């Protein structure tokens, strides 16, 4: 049995069988109920000292910002994850699902437009930070937000290429949507087990 973090095995699947085939350095970012990342270097999962590499959702954006479920204030994920967006939305009016929030944006409600566009800006900032730290050749956007609302991929890509990403690095990598989506976790788990327990020709 091999036990691992689902985002790490999903990144492995995208690197070997999905959006980033042929990549040497793949960064996968997940945006949904949390915010996380995983890095594949030359076909290997980068783990860090305690297997905690990639916990980008708990990097501090604003020490005076919103409280995170981890107990710190101003974590990156408090500006992007679904529960935080819904919590903010419910200060205006009852919103039960992320679909309702996007519908409010589509209907032209200014507060919904603000919340979602702020989240997209922070997603682009996340891409910039990962690119500046690790200099990958491929960045994959994944998770419930991107899977449910694929149109935001183009918005984030435009923010990255025109505004947010540090200019010297803008042409050094490509941004992809996840090809495998949730299947990537299962596929990556199988690949990890094969790599760990079997010698494949």
């Amino acid at each position: 049995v091999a036990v691992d973090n689902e985002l790490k095995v999903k990144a492995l699947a995208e690197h070997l069988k999905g959006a980033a085939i042929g990549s040497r350095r793949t960064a996968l970012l997940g945006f949904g109920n949390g915010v996380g990342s995983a890095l594949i270097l030359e076909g290997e999962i980068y783990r860090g000292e305690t297997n905690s590499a990639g916990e980008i959702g708990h990097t501090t954006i604003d020490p005076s910002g919103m409280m995170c479920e981890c107990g710190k204030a101003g974590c990156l994920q408090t500006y992007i994850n679904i529960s935080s967006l819904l919590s903010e939305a419910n200060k205006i009016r009852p919103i039960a699902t992320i679909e309702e929030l996007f519908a409010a944006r589509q209907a032209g409600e200014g507060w919904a437009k603000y919340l979602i566009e702020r989240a997209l800006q922070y997603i682009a900032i996340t891409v910039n930070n990962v690119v500046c730290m690790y200099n990958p050749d491929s960045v994959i956007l994944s998770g419930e937000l991107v899977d449910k609302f694929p149109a935001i991929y183009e918005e984030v890509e435009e923010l990255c290429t025109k505004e947010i990403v540090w200019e010297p690095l803008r042409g050094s990598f490509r941004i992809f949507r996840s090809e495998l989506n949730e299947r990537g976790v299962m596929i990556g788990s199988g690949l990890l087990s094969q790599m760990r327990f079997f010698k494949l020709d």
Side-chain angles (χ1 to χ4, degrees):
V1 174
V3 178
D4 212 325
N5 173 277
E6 68 176 46
L7 211 58
K8 286 181 170 64
V9 296
K10 188 175 182 180
L12 184 65
E14 293 284 359
H15 180 80
L16 295 174
K17 301 288 185 181
I21 293 174
S23 166
R24 296 181 62 199
R25 292 175 177 81
T26 303
L28 181 135
L29 307 177
F31 304 101
N33 291 314
V35 174
S37 67
L39 188 67
I40 308 295
L41 299 176
E42 306 291 349
E44 297 286 333
I45 299 170
Y46 178 72
R47 298 185 176 280
E49 183 64 25
T50 61
N51 199 31
S52 298
E55 292 292 343
I56 197 167
H58 295 292
T59 54
T60 303
I61 295 297
D62 179 1
S64 302
M66 294 179 283
M67 288 301 299
C68 179
E69 60 190 19
C70 78
K72 294 196 301 121
C75 287
L76 171 66
Q77 73 173 21
T78 62
Y79 296 90
I80 303 172
N81 72 0
I82 290 171
S83 60
S84 294
L85 289 171
L86 293 180
S87 177
E88 288 283 290
N90 275 274
K91 293 177 182 176
I92 307 300
R93 66 174 176 84
I95 297 286
T97 66
I98 194 67
E99 288 85 356
E100 288 181 38
L101 178 56
F102 271 79
R105 181 203 193 197
Q106 187 69 27
E109 297 187 45
W111 60 272
K113 186 173 182 287
Y114 167 78
L115 282 179
I116 292 171
E117 291 179 4
R118 183 185 68 178
L120 299 185
Q121 186 172 49
Y122 277 108
I123 289 173
I125 288 169
T126 306
V127 172
N128 174 70
N129 292 350
V130 167
V131 167
C132 286
M133 283 188 286
Y134 298 113
N135 196 201
D137 58 54
S138 303
V139 174
I140 301 170
L141 304 182
S142 71
E144 191 173 351
L145 277 178
V146 182
D147 293 346
K148 283 188 173 181
F149 309 102
I152 71 172
Y153 166 82
E154 284 79 13
E155 293 183 68
V156 171
E157 185 178 39
E158 185 171 2
L159 280 169
C160 288
T161 56
K162 292 185 177 178
E163 296 179 40
I164 304 294
V165 171
W166 185 42
E167 194 166 353
L169 292 178
R170 287 181 189 173
S172 68
F173 68 99
R174 293 183 64 194
I175 302 176
F176 301 94
R177 275 187 62 209
S178 169
E179 283 187 5
L180 303 175
N181 300 323
E182 287 307 309
R183 293 182 301 123
V185 177
M186 185 71 73
I187 293 167
S189 298
L191 289 168
L192 180 69
S193 294
Q194 288 177 357
M195 293 166 69
R196 193 168 289 181
F197 301 121
F198 299 98
K199 183 178 179 180
L200 301 178
D201 294 329

